[in-house]
């Protein structure tokens, strides 16, 4: 069963019984992985994740690589203590292009779906943002830390 390959070198599987049930039914999983193109090159740490994503591809599952083009342009802190510098649209596009070249050294281009987070985040208006922020308390945000 695919579960052994999936579990190898995996830190945590949320709802493992659900995963086993989906695999028993032959369901294709959709695995999403995202990276902000804040620099022209991915670092070696990404390779660990891409190798695991490659295993999922080889098992017949769908890989969706999300490029954080929108968040790279606003300087998303992503849980860090320092905000990343804001990049221009041109810088983001240039970096995203090099990301694709690097990703395809490990993942199968034909079996990888590329999405950009601007597809949904750029549609947010102030009402959407306020609604989203109203769902989280300061205590919840500190809990993430």
């Amino acid at each position: 069963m695919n579960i052994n390959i999936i579990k190898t070198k995996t830190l945590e599987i949320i709802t493992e019984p659900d995963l086993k049930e989906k695999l028993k039914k032959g369901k294709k999983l959709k695995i999403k992985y995202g990276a902000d193109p804040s620099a022209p090159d991915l670092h070696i740490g990404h390779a660990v994740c891409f190798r695991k994503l490659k295993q999922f591809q080889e098992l017949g599952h769908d890989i969706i690589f999300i490029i954080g083009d929108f968040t790279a342009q606003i300087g998303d802190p992503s849980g860090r203590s320092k905000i990343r510098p804001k990049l221009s649209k041109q810088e983001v596009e240039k970096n995203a292009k090099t990301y694709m070249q690097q990703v395809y050294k490990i993942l199968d281009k034909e079996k990888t779906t590329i999405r950009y987070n601007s597809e949904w985040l750029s549609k947010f208006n102030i009402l959407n943002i306020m609604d989203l922020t109203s769902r989280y308390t300061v205590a919840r945000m500190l809990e993430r830390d």
Side-chain angles (χ1 to χ4, degrees), residues 4-63:
N4 292 329
I5 294 171
I6 292 170
K7 287 177 70 172
T8 301
K9 297 184 181 179
T10 300
L11 181 64
E12 179 182 11
I13 297 174
I14 299 172
T15 66
E16 189 173 334
D18 290 342
L19 173 62
K20 286 180 179 178
E21 188 64 32
K22 287 178 183 181
L23 294 174
K24 267 190 211 174
K25 291 180 180 177
K27 281 194 168 188
K28 280 177 103 175
L29 302 176
K30 290 185 180 188
I31 297 90
K32 299 173 187 168
Y33 181 86
D36 279 358
S38 51
D41 297 306
L42 294 165
H43 58 74
I44 193 70
H46 285 99
V48 174
C49 297
F50 291 138
R51 289 181 63 198
K52 181 52 93 176
L53 294 173
K54 179 68 172 175
Q55 288 179 334
F56 277 103
Q57 277 187 333
E58 290 170 348
L59 293 171
H61 302 292
D62 296 326
I63 302 302

Side-chain angles (χ1 to χ4, degrees), residues 114-132:
I114 304 300
R115 300 293 301 267
Y116 297 85
N117 69 6
S118 63
E119 293 173 35
W120 54 91
L121 292 176
S122 66
K123 295 174 185 166
F124 269 46
N125 61 36
I126 192 66
L127 185 61
N128 301 127
I129 294 167
M130 296 305 290
D131 179 55
L132 183 63

Side-chain angles (χ1 to χ4, degrees), residues 91-104:
E91 289 172 307
V92 170
E93 288 171 356
K94 182 180 174 187
N95 291 347
K97 188 175 182 180
T98 64
Y99 276 25
M100 302 317 309
Q101 294 166 348
Q102 295 166 60
V103 166
Y104 293 145

Side-chain angles (χ1 to χ4, degrees), residues 65-79:
F65 182 64
I66 302 170
I67 296 176
D69 63 324
F70 189 85
T71 45
Q73 290 180 67
I74 62 170
D76 176 30
S78 296

